[in-house]
Amino acid sequence: MIFPADEAEILFNLKLAGLHQYTKAGAVTDPNLTVTDADYEVMASRNIADNEAKAAIRERITQAEVPAEFLAKSDSEGFAKDFGKKYVATTLSKSYSWAFFVACGSLIISILIFVLFRKTWKEADVTAKQAKAKASQDGAGAPMSKKEVSERLLALGLVFAVVIFFWMAFHQNGLTMTFFARDYTVSKVTADGYIPFSLLMLLPLVCLMYGVYLSIFGLLGGKRNPKTGLLLIVLGIAGLIGGYFVDIKPIADGLRSITPQIFQQFNPFFIILLTPVTVGFFGYLANRDKEPSAPRKIGIGMLLAALGFLVLLVSSIGLPAPSDIKGTSDVLVSPNVLIGTYLVLTLAELFLSPMGLSFVSKVSPPQYAGLMQGGWLAATAVGNLLVGVMGAFWEKLSLVAFWGVLIACCLLSAAFIFSVMKRLERVTA
């Protein structure tokens, strides 16, 4: 459905996209019809300096007459609409089909892993009735008193209140941090600068690092395996060399464009990369009876989240407010600013998210275990709702003030959870 007020702009964009595709395919040779990658990037630019070039391209494309050979053979409605229908019916539909196929395949693989490795979790596969019967046999079947149940529910409620503000801050990565990537971050990088954005470099790096982990301290609580670790290291190095020649070296002295959305890959990348480290670190502390409690880890996670936004705050000093720019800022920061922020925020997530779920499972009274798990998810949902509420202030505050509000929320939440730490640790004792 196209609204009449938007029709002209939509048809122009379809014409531009169509001519760009035909240019890339080598089917267009007329200079008036040619839309190169550089032309397409200019039209997508929000930089005020590109306005004159955008106007020239727009005028040329608007006036260009597309030859009949590029129109539908029957019932043609013009090049723009013909291309749009063909694109949706073929390329876009096929892309959606592949996307859902990958999602479905991933679920099937997950189920197979779940079934094939059942022996690793079989002991924990008990119903509440079976757990109660086992507790009775062990002499620990006495029901909790009303006072103890109330204390545990109160402790869980306090944790839920804290994590609301964590998710409100953390999930700015899908909103205002993406705005920051679009409007305040360099969008073209050199070959060396593109290395962190190349999956052909990141995936072998993960393989390499897992080999190092496996050789030094084992993976996820498992034993060291230097032989397998060495194999992974060799494969990782080979992958990095191959990725460099395939994806980095061809850039040569040129520049590669990066989109704001690509920064979203760093959170899952750092989770995969750092989870064995955090598990090993906590295991090391546990062996020495120095591991912090789950509530204390949540508090540390809130402090780390504040530190992550502090990186953005410091980098934003001197940048214009969102309301003062039209398009992109005249002063841009390095992509490393956001990469560093994602690194610290991912560390915060690793301290808080799995520990929070563990805390809920451990503290919940048996009769309320399912309800409390739902409470954790409800707190996450409320935090996600507040992401949009906070995002409404993006164009009403300066960057320093905006990041400062998020830092304050994280610090106040951390201060609150540390102030009730004795109560929280008492119910987990």
Side-chain angles (χ1 to χ4, degrees), residues 18-53:
L19 291 175
H20 179 231
Q21 292 299 317
Y22 280 117
T23 300
K24 292 180 68 174
V28 172
T29 56
D30 184 349
N32 292 323
L33 297 175
T34 300
V35 179
T36 63
D37 289 342
D39 293 335
Y40 207 67
E41 286 184 13
V42 168
M43 292 304 296
S45 173
R46 290 167 51 86
N47 195 329
I48 298 176
D50 292 328
N51 284 351
E52 187 175 342

Tab-separated table of all heavy atoms in Angstrom, residues 18-53:
chain	number	residue	atom	x	y	z
A	18	GLY	N	16.406	0.256	-9.100
A	18	GLY	CA	16.388	-0.574	-10.299
A	18	GLY	C	17.537	-0.277	-11.233
A	18	GLY	O	18.225	-1.188	-11.720
A	19	LEU	N	17.773	1.010	-11.484
A	19	LEU	CA	18.879	1.394	-12.364
A	19	LEU	C	20.231	1.034	-11.741
A	19	LEU	O	21.181	0.688	-12.452
A	19	LEU	CB	18.805	2.894	-12.660
A	19	LEU	CG	17.622	3.332	-13.533
A	19	LEU	CD1	17.578	4.850	-13.669
A	19	LEU	CD2	17.704	2.690	-14.920
A	20	HIS	N	20.304	1.092	-10.427
A	20	HIS	CA	21.537	0.695	-9.745
A	20	HIS	C	21.818	-0.790	-9.962
A	20	HIS	O	22.956	-1.193	-10.247
A	20	HIS	CB	21.423	1.005	-8.244
A	20	HIS	CG	22.619	0.611	-7.455
A	20	HIS	ND1	22.534	-0.155	-6.317
A	20	HIS	CD2	23.947	0.833	-7.652
A	20	HIS	CE1	23.744	-0.366	-5.830
A	20	HIS	NE2	24.621	0.224	-6.616
A	21	GLN	N	20.766	-1.620	-9.842
A	21	GLN	CA	20.938	-3.055	-10.056
A	21	GLN	C	21.314	-3.369	-11.493
A	21	GLN	O	22.194	-4.197	-11.761
A	21	GLN	CB	19.649	-3.796	-9.678
A	21	GLN	CG	19.335	-3.779	-8.196
A	21	GLN	CD	20.420	-4.441	-7.368
A	21	GLN	OE1	20.932	-5.494	-7.725
A	21	GLN	NE2	20.781	-3.822	-6.250
A	22	TYR	N	20.671	-2.693	-12.456
A	22	TYR	CA	20.992	-2.918	-13.868
A	22	TYR	C	22.403	-2.420	-14.191
A	22	TYR	O	23.109	-3.011	-15.015
A	22	TYR	CB	19.960	-2.218	-14.767
A	22	TYR	CG	18.670	-2.991	-14.910
A	22	TYR	CD1	17.471	-2.462	-14.452
A	22	TYR	CD2	18.658	-4.243	-15.503
A	22	TYR	CE1	16.284	-3.167	-14.572
A	22	TYR	CE2	17.475	-4.959	-15.639
A	22	TYR	CZ	16.290	-4.423	-15.167
A	22	TYR	OH	15.124	-5.128	-15.295
A	23	THR	N	22.839	-1.357	-13.522
A	23	THR	CA	24.203	-0.857	-13.730
A	23	THR	C	25.226	-1.874	-13.226
A	23	THR	O	26.226	-2.156	-13.887
A	23	THR	CB	24.399	0.487	-13.007
A	23	THR	OG1	23.462	1.445	-13.523
A	23	THR	CG2	25.812	1.017	-13.218
A	24	LYS	N	24.966	-2.428	-12.041
A	24	LYS	CA	25.889	-3.418	-11.483
A	24	LYS	C	25.949	-4.681	-12.349
A	24	LYS	O	26.982	-5.337	-12.439
A	24	LYS	CB	25.453	-3.795	-10.057
A	24	LYS	CG	25.616	-2.674	-9.047
A	24	LYS	CD	25.176	-3.087	-7.657
A	24	LYS	CE	26.109	-4.125	-7.074
A	24	LYS	NZ	25.770	-4.441	-5.659
A	25	ALA	N	24.808	-4.993	-13.003
A	25	ALA	CA	24.767	-6.175	-13.860
A	25	ALA	C	25.372	-5.920	-15.237
A	25	ALA	O	25.508	-6.848	-16.038
A	25	ALA	CB	23.329	-6.651	-14.013
A	26	GLY	N	25.735	-4.652	-15.521
A	26	GLY	CA	26.325	-4.311	-16.808
A	26	GLY	C	25.321	-4.169	-17.926
A	26	GLY	O	25.689	-4.120	-19.111
A	27	ALA	N	24.015	-4.076	-17.575
A	27	ALA	CA	22.975	-3.980	-18.606
A	27	ALA	C	22.733	-2.546	-19.051
A	27	ALA	O	22.085	-2.314	-20.072
A	27	ALA	CB	21.671	-4.588	-18.079
A	28	VAL	N	23.251	-1.563	-18.280
A	28	VAL	CA	23.040	-0.147	-18.602
A	28	VAL	C	24.368	0.477	-19.021
A	28	VAL	O	25.367	0.348	-18.298
A	28	VAL	CB	22.456	0.619	-17.388
A	28	VAL	CG1	22.424	2.105	-17.663
A	28	VAL	CG2	21.065	0.108	-17.069
A	29	THR	N	24.359	1.113	-20.168
A	29	THR	CA	25.571	1.798	-20.649
A	29	THR	C	25.352	3.289	-20.850
A	29	THR	O	26.308	4.057	-20.911
A	29	THR	CB	26.039	1.183	-21.980
A	29	THR	OG1	24.965	1.231	-22.939
A	29	THR	CG2	26.460	-0.272	-21.774
A	30	ASP	N	24.106	3.714	-20.942
A	30	ASP	CA	23.787	5.134	-21.127
A	30	ASP	C	24.169	5.902	-19.859
A	30	ASP	O	23.670	5.600	-18.769
A	30	ASP	CB	22.290	5.296	-21.409
A	30	ASP	CG	21.913	6.739	-21.719
A	30	ASP	OD1	22.748	7.648	-21.511
A	30	ASP	OD2	20.776	6.971	-22.176
A	31	PRO	N	25.064	6.903	-19.958
A	31	PRO	CA	25.490	7.667	-18.775
A	31	PRO	C	24.327	8.306	-18.015
A	31	PRO	O	24.407	8.487	-16.792
A	31	PRO	CB	26.427	8.741	-19.360
A	31	PRO	CG	26.890	8.163	-20.652
A	31	PRO	CD	25.757	7.354	-21.189
A	32	ASN	N	23.248	8.641	-18.727
A	32	ASN	CA	22.096	9.268	-18.071
A	32	ASN	C	21.319	8.275	-17.205
A	32	ASN	O	20.570	8.663	-16.316
A	32	ASN	CB	21.154	9.889	-19.103
A	32	ASN	CG	21.776	11.090	-19.789
A	32	ASN	OD1	22.496	11.866	-19.161
A	32	ASN	ND2	21.518	11.237	-21.088
A	33	LEU	N	21.474	6.987	-17.499
A	33	LEU	CA	20.764	5.958	-16.745
A	33	LEU	C	21.646	5.255	-15.719
A	33	LEU	O	21.152	4.546	-14.840
A	33	LEU	CB	20.196	4.902	-17.709
A	33	LEU	CG	19.155	5.382	-18.716
A	33	LEU	CD1	18.787	4.255	-19.674
A	33	LEU	CD2	17.911	5.876	-17.995
A	34	THR	N	22.935	5.454	-15.815
A	34	THR	CA	23.868	4.748	-14.945
A	34	THR	C	23.776	5.256	-13.500
A	34	THR	O	23.811	6.460	-13.249
A	34	THR	CB	25.306	4.924	-15.452
A	34	THR	OG1	25.397	4.383	-16.767
A	34	THR	CG2	26.282	4.200	-14.548
A	35	VAL	N	23.654	4.312	-12.560
A	35	VAL	CA	23.686	4.629	-11.124
A	35	VAL	C	24.757	3.743	-10.501
A	35	VAL	O	24.550	2.548	-10.272
A	35	VAL	CB	22.323	4.382	-10.449
A	35	VAL	CG1	22.415	4.694	-8.951
A	35	VAL	CG2	21.243	5.222	-11.090
A	36	THR	N	25.915	4.312	-10.259
A	36	THR	CA	27.035	3.556	-9.692
A	36	THR	C	26.864	3.376	-8.188
A	36	THR	O	25.972	3.974	-7.566
A	36	THR	CB	28.358	4.281	-9.960
A	36	THR	OG1	28.322	5.557	-9.275
A	36	THR	CG2	28.555	4.525	-11.460
A	37	ASP	N	27.735	2.561	-7.616
A	37	ASP	CA	27.717	2.390	-6.154
A	37	ASP	C	27.954	3.718	-5.453
A	37	ASP	O	27.337	4.011	-4.417
A	37	ASP	CB	28.792	1.385	-5.718
A	37	ASP	CG	28.457	-0.038	-6.116
A	37	ASP	OD1	27.273	-0.311	-6.412
A	37	ASP	OD2	29.381	-0.884	-6.154
A	38	ALA	N	28.852	4.530	-6.031
A	38	ALA	CA	29.144	5.838	-5.434
A	38	ALA	C	27.906	6.732	-5.476
A	38	ALA	O	27.603	7.439	-4.496
A	38	ALA	CB	30.309	6.499	-6.178
A	39	ASP	N	27.171	6.706	-6.603
A	39	ASP	CA	25.932	7.496	-6.712
A	39	ASP	C	24.919	7.037	-5.662
A	39	ASP	O	24.246	7.853	-5.016
A	39	ASP	CB	25.321	7.352	-8.107
A	39	ASP	CG	26.174	7.979	-9.192
A	39	ASP	OD1	26.948	8.909	-8.874
A	39	ASP	OD2	26.075	7.548	-10.361
A	40	TYR	N	24.815	5.735	-5.503
A	40	TYR	CA	23.831	5.183	-4.573
A	40	TYR	C	24.186	5.550	-3.136
A	40	TYR	O	23.298	5.839	-2.319
A	40	TYR	CB	23.773	3.664	-4.741
A	40	TYR	CG	22.444	3.064	-4.366
A	40	TYR	CD1	21.298	3.326	-5.116
A	40	TYR	CD2	22.325	2.233	-3.247
A	40	TYR	CE1	20.079	2.768	-4.778
A	40	TYR	CE2	21.103	1.686	-2.902
A	40	TYR	CZ	19.983	1.948	-3.670
A	40	TYR	OH	18.766	1.408	-3.323
A	41	GLU	N	25.472	5.539	-2.811
A	41	GLU	CA	25.911	5.932	-1.466
A	41	GLU	C	25.617	7.407	-1.210
A	41	GLU	O	25.223	7.783	-0.102
A	41	GLU	CB	27.396	5.639	-1.296
A	41	GLU	CG	27.732	4.170	-1.127
A	41	GLU	CD	29.210	3.950	-0.859
A	41	GLU	OE1	29.903	4.939	-0.556
A	41	GLU	OE2	29.664	2.798	-0.953
A	42	VAL	N	25.826	8.234	-2.245
A	42	VAL	CA	25.539	9.663	-2.090
A	42	VAL	C	24.058	9.886	-1.811
A	42	VAL	O	23.683	10.679	-0.939
A	42	VAL	CB	25.975	10.436	-3.355
A	42	VAL	CG1	25.418	11.866	-3.334
A	42	VAL	CG2	27.487	10.484	-3.452
A	43	MET	N	23.200	9.172	-2.523
A	43	MET	CA	21.759	9.343	-2.326
A	43	MET	C	21.320	8.869	-0.938
A	43	MET	O	20.322	9.360	-0.402
A	43	MET	CB	20.992	8.571	-3.400
A	43	MET	CG	21.149	9.134	-4.810
A	43	MET	SD	20.688	10.880	-4.942
A	43	MET	CE	18.943	10.818	-4.549
A	44	ALA	N	22.056	7.925	-0.363
A	44	ALA	CA	21.714	7.435	0.981
A	44	ALA	C	22.369	8.262	2.081
A	44	ALA	O	22.038	8.106	3.260
A	44	ALA	CB	22.138	5.976	1.124
A	45	SER	N	23.281	9.161	1.702
A	45	SER	CA	24.030	9.945	2.683
A	45	SER	C	23.140	10.946	3.409
A	45	SER	O	22.210	11.514	2.828
A	45	SER	CB	25.177	10.683	1.985
A	45	SER	OG	25.817	11.580	2.869
A	46	ARG	N	23.448	11.157	4.696
A	46	ARG	CA	22.767	12.184	5.491
A	46	ARG	C	23.659	13.401	5.709
A	46	ARG	O	23.311	14.321	6.434
A	46	ARG	CB	22.376	11.591	6.851
A	46	ARG	CG	21.270	10.556	6.773
A	46	ARG	CD	21.138	9.769	8.065
A	46	ARG	NE	21.033	10.624	9.230
A	46	ARG	CZ	19.902	11.138	9.686
A	46	ARG	NH1	18.770	10.886	9.050
A	46	ARG	NH2	19.886	11.896	10.764
A	47	ASN	N	24.820	13.389	5.046
A	47	ASN	CA	25.773	14.489	5.188
A	47	ASN	C	25.316	15.686	4.363
A	47	ASN	O	25.041	15.569	3.162
A	47	ASN	CB	27.159	14.034	4.726
A	47	ASN	CG	28.251	14.987	5.182
A	47	ASN	OD1	28.014	16.188	5.319
A	47	ASN	ND2	29.438	14.464	5.410
A	48	ILE	N	25.248	16.846	4.995
A	48	ILE	CA	24.789	18.058	4.307
A	48	ILE	C	25.697	18.396	3.127
A	48	ILE	O	25.243	18.923	2.106
A	48	ILE	CB	24.734	19.239	5.300
A	48	ILE	CG1	23.726	18.943	6.417
A	48	ILE	CG2	24.365	20.537	4.595
A	48	ILE	CD1	23.685	20.006	7.496
A	49	ALA	N	26.968	18.062	3.242
A	49	ALA	CA	27.912	18.373	2.165
A	49	ALA	C	27.578	17.643	0.866
A	49	ALA	O	28.026	18.042	-0.215
A	49	ALA	CB	29.337	18.019	2.609
A	50	ASP	N	26.788	16.569	0.952
A	50	ASP	CA	26.426	15.798	-0.242
A	50	ASP	C	25.119	16.264	-0.880
A	50	ASP	O	24.682	15.688	-1.883
A	50	ASP	CB	26.300	14.304	0.113
A	50	ASP	CG	27.633	13.688	0.480
A	50	ASP	OD1	28.647	14.125	-0.079
A	50	ASP	OD2	27.649	12.769	1.320
A	51	ASN	N	24.487	17.293	-0.312
A	51	ASN	CA	23.168	17.717	-0.816
A	51	ASN	C	23.209	18.148	-2.268
A	51	ASN	O	22.302	17.849	-3.050
A	51	ASN	CB	22.610	18.846	0.058
A	51	ASN	CG	22.076	18.322	1.382
A	51	ASN	OD1	21.963	17.109	1.583
A	51	ASN	ND2	21.751	19.227	2.284
A	52	GLU	N	24.258	18.885	-2.666
A	52	GLU	CA	24.348	19.366	-4.049
A	52	GLU	C	24.488	18.191	-5.020
A	52	GLU	O	23.819	18.151	-6.066
A	52	GLU	CB	25.551	20.303	-4.186
A	52	GLU	CG	25.629	20.982	-5.551
A	52	GLU	CD	26.764	21.993	-5.625
A	52	GLU	OE1	27.260	22.416	-4.554
A	52	GLU	OE2	27.144	22.364	-6.756
A	53	ALA	N	25.328	17.218	-4.659
A	53	ALA	CA	25.493	16.044	-5.519
A	53	ALA	C	24.202	15.225	-5.566
A	53	ALA	O	23.830	14.687	-6.620
A	53	ALA	CB	26.645	15.187	-5.004
